[in-house]
Amino acid sequence: MDVDAQGLPAEGRPTDPLVGRVLDSRYRIGPRVARGGMASVYEAVDLRLDRVVAVKVMHAGLGDDDEFAARFVREARAAARLSHPHVVGVFDQGDDHGTVFLAMEYVPGHTLRDLIRKEAPLAPTKALALIDPVLSALAAAHRAGLIHRDIKPENVLIADDGRIKVADFGLAKAVSSDTQHTATGGILIGTVSYLAPELVVDGTSDARADVYAAGVVLYELLTGSKPHEGESPIAVAYKHVHEDVPAPSALVPGLPPYVDALVARATSRDRNNRPADAGVFLHQVHRVRQALAEGVTDDPELTADLAPSAPVVLDVPDDLSISIGEPGGDTLERIPAVTDDLAGYPMEHTAAITTGSSGSTLPAATEPVPVLRGGPSGPPRPPAGGQPPPRRSRSRRGLALFLVALLLAAGAGVGAWWFGVGRYTVTPGVLGVSQSVAAQRLAAEGLDVKVGSPEYSETVDKGLVLHSDPDPGSRVLGGSSVTLVLSLGKERYASPKLRGKTEDQAQDALRKAHLSFGRSIEKYSEALPAGTVLGSDPKPGTMLRPDSAVDVFLSKGPKPIDVRDFTGRKGGLAVSTLERQGLTVERTDEFNDSVPEGRVISQDPDSGQLFKGDTVRLVVSKGPELIAVPDGLRGSGVEAARTRLLDAGFQVDVENSDQYLGLGFVFQVQPGSGELVPRGSTITLYLI
């Protein structure tokens, strides 16, 4: 069979040359899972850590473009600054012989776009539940000084286990003066259906642009369609500038008014009417979710708080230069636009769209744009070549009546404005900033500051504003007070010292420390009696979340020792073994005629269980006792010699010697007199 270098059959070779390749001697590229205008994403294996990752590889040729390469590096650095459960993590970034890539967290599942296609329109409770983690991720980015700039359903991943993560920080940029004031005519990058109006008009990019895009995504979840459609990206872009996002209830009747107000607030064409950042928007989403959970169908106060304060007319610059990526695509990049003189007359914007790759020109899009303001030269000019209309003479009385009516109308208008919205202001976004910064922002809006009781927070650092009352974005009377609640930081308690306490005392101590009792784990202890706490896990002094479980080690008392019988074994071995077990040995050595010297004659106790320090008594044999054969036996009578030997504890054997004459006297003793022999040994008397 014909196989290639990867061991694949010829007919099964991958068409993508990257599949099977190992990048940076570490990442083995697997199947492609997504493709975009700038890069493709592959499932891969990290050979060093033996885990599945996603590898994002820049398209061939783009690596030579410094701007595209810098964008890749920017994505890695932006994601590295964020550590959040709803942000796709970036592990590594590299360049393998011109192949620029990112190694990222692999999230098996589908995108929010797939869910919208299959299930939208969604119930408002589900739509808000889906947008909640997206806003949580964006809020973390905004707190870190980053804006995403390309929020859309395709960049929201839904894992098979239900986790939701925001991906593709490739367009992310730090919030700074240059991002907040990009000159008209600069390059604008983003996705046209989700571009905030200020991005189209002057390239402005701050956290409120992300809020606008998230609001459009919420609109899609609620309705199943995008708010602005058009035959070309130009048409869609100008609708973002000149048309408000419709109320979702126009397509899905029955939605509560406060849901419409939430979408309208987030997608206001005037960015000053939008939530200051994703954290403020998230707080408003939580208010709406609470109202939905309580079954509230109409809440005029909530609706009024969320609704944008006033309509806005945006000034469109004379020369608009944006750019568009792929032909017919959805990504807006460059739109050279030439407008008529803004002299206060209705006009048409005409634009020629040039694609980045081929340079081909798409048909120009025209759309009438009414401009409701005077030109730079004053009131509208008369038609060219015409004569001014003749003035009508008026009587002084008519002029006076006109002036009175005009003054009355102006007074009524001012009064209506004052008693309607004129006295009101909007609380600025102060979440996540210090008390001094929050006070400055509130003072700038004519609001007083009160400080409430601080609260713990897992996400907001100590000393920063956790939340405010009224909430950011609320409409309040000028001069009102706003109560700031500062964060105490993460709520943590030290695990108490429990050693020496009883189990009940340990439970009380943990309860007082705002912790919970976990398990009782029994262990033998020579130091503390049974039922006494030996220690805990985690160790004392460890800082824990409230109600964290702490396991307690309880003493079972001394560990029992099984007694081994050493009778008949070497005494030295018995002593060393018993002492090594922690037992005390009392050894006695005795003569013994039946047990060899050095062996254990007896042991007490010789079975059962003892505890460390208990005593074991051993009797060790010294062997048989040795005594001397009596002197003076030679030459004595046989009976006298026998008597002396028996009295000394010997056995006696009598034999005739080789020189036996029948006299009956002892001629020789064996063993000889004075020799040491074991008691009970046999002494042989040889007679003559």
Side-chain angles (χ1 to χ4, degrees), residues 234-240 242-243 347-350 365-370:
I234 288 284
V236 176
Y238 281 126
K239 284 187 177 181
H240 280 289
H242 297 291
E243 296 181 11
M347 63 182 183
E348 291 186 350
H349 288 280
T350 59
T366 61
E367 182 175 344
V369 182

Coordinates of all heavy atoms in Angstrom, one line a residue, residues 234-240 242-243 347-350 365-370:
I234 N -22.2 48.4 3.9 CA -22.4 49.9 4.0 C -23.8 50.2 4.6 O -23.9 51.0 5.5 CB -22.2 50.5 2.6 CG1 -20.8 50.5 2.2 CG2 -22.7 51.9 2.7 CD1 -19.9 51.5 2.9
A235 N -24.8 49.5 4.0 CA -26.2 49.8 4.4 C -26.4 49.5 5.9 O -27.0 50.2 6.6 CB -27.1 49.0 3.5
V236 N -25.8 48.4 6.3 CA -25.9 48.0 7.7 C -25.2 49.0 8.6 O -25.8 49.4 9.6 CB -25.4 46.5 7.9 CG1 -25.4 46.2 9.4 CG2 -26.1 45.5 7.1
A237 N -24.0 49.4 8.2 CA -23.3 50.3 9.0 C -24.0 51.6 9.2 O -24.1 52.2 10.3 CB -21.9 50.6 8.4
Y238 N -24.6 52.2 8.1 CA -25.3 53.4 8.3 C -26.6 53.3 9.1 O -27.1 54.3 9.7 CB -25.6 54.0 6.9 CG -24.3 54.7 6.3 CD1 -23.8 54.3 5.1 CD2 -23.7 55.7 7.1 CE1 -22.7 54.9 4.6 CE2 -22.5 56.3 6.6 CZ -22.0 55.9 5.3 OH -20.9 56.5 4.9
K239 N -27.2 52.1 9.0 CA -28.4 51.9 9.9 C -28.0 52.0 11.4 O -28.8 52.5 12.2 CB -29.1 50.6 9.6 CG -29.8 50.6 8.3 CD -30.6 49.3 8.1 CE -31.5 49.4 6.8 NZ -32.3 48.1 6.6
H240 N -26.8 51.5 11.7 CA -26.3 51.6 13.1 C -26.2 53.0 13.5 O -26.5 53.4 14.6 CB -25.0 50.9 13.3 CG -25.1 49.4 13.4 ND1 -25.6 48.8 14.5 CD2 -24.8 48.4 12.5 CE1 -25.6 47.5 14.4 NE2 -25.0 47.2 13.1
H242 N -27.9 55.8 12.0 CA -29.0 56.6 11.8 C -30.3 56.0 12.3 O -31.4 56.7 12.4 CB -29.2 56.9 10.3 CG -28.1 57.7 9.8 ND1 -27.8 59.0 10.1 CD2 -27.1 57.4 8.9 CE1 -26.8 59.5 9.5 NE2 -26.3 58.5 8.7
E243 N -30.3 54.7 12.8 CA -31.6 54.1 13.2 C -31.3 53.4 14.6 O -30.3 52.7 14.8 CB -32.0 53.0 12.2 CG -32.4 53.6 10.8 CD -32.9 52.5 9.9 OE1 -33.1 51.4 10.4 OE2 -33.0 52.8 8.7
M347 N -29.5 64.9 2.3 CA -28.5 64.6 1.4 C -28.4 63.1 1.3 O -29.1 62.3 2.0 CB -27.2 65.1 1.9 CG -26.7 64.6 3.2 SD -25.2 65.3 3.8 CE -25.0 64.4 5.3
E348 N -27.5 62.6 0.5 CA -27.3 61.2 0.3 C -25.8 60.9 0.5 O -24.9 61.6 0.0 CB -27.7 60.6 -1.1 CG -29.2 60.7 -1.3 CD -29.5 60.0 -2.6 OE1 -28.6 59.8 -3.4 OE2 -30.7 59.8 -2.8
H349 N -25.5 59.8 1.3 CA -24.1 59.4 1.4 C -23.8 58.4 0.3 O -24.6 57.4 0.1 CB -23.8 58.7 2.8 CG -23.8 59.6 3.9 ND1 -22.7 60.4 4.2 CD2 -24.8 60.0 4.8 CE1 -23.0 61.1 5.3 NE2 -24.3 60.9 5.7
T350 N -22.7 58.5 -0.4 CA -22.4 57.5 -1.4 C -21.0 57.0 -1.0 O -20.2 57.7 -0.5 CB -22.2 58.2 -2.8 OG1 -21.3 59.2 -2.7 CG2 -23.6 58.8 -3.2
A365 N -23.5 52.1 -2.2 CA -24.7 52.0 -1.5 C -25.2 53.5 -1.2 O -24.4 54.3 -0.7 CB -24.6 51.3 -0.2
T366 N -26.4 53.8 -1.5 CA -26.9 55.1 -1.3 C -28.1 55.0 -0.3 O -28.9 54.1 -0.4 CB -27.3 55.8 -2.6 OG1 -28.3 55.1 -3.2 CG2 -26.1 55.9 -3.5
E367 N -28.2 56.0 0.5 CA -29.3 56.0 1.5 C -29.5 57.4 1.9 O -28.6 58.1 2.4 CB -28.9 55.1 2.7 CG -30.1 55.0 3.7 CD -29.7 54.1 4.8 OE1 -28.7 53.3 4.6 OE2 -30.4 54.1 5.8
P368 N -30.8 57.9 1.8 CA -31.0 59.2 2.3 C -30.8 59.4 3.8 O -31.2 58.5 4.5 CB -32.5 59.5 1.9 CG -33.0 58.2 1.3 CD -31.9 57.2 1.3
V369 N -30.2 60.5 4.2 CA -30.0 60.7 5.6 C -30.4 62.1 5.9 O -29.8 63.1 5.6 CB -28.5 60.6 5.9 CG1 -28.2 60.8 7.4 CG2 -28.0 59.2 5.5
P370 N -31.6 62.2 6.6 CA -32.0 63.6 7.0 C -31.1 64.1 8.0 O -30.8 63.4 9.0 CB -33.4 63.3 7.5 CG -33.5 61.9 7.9 CD -32.5 61.2 7.0

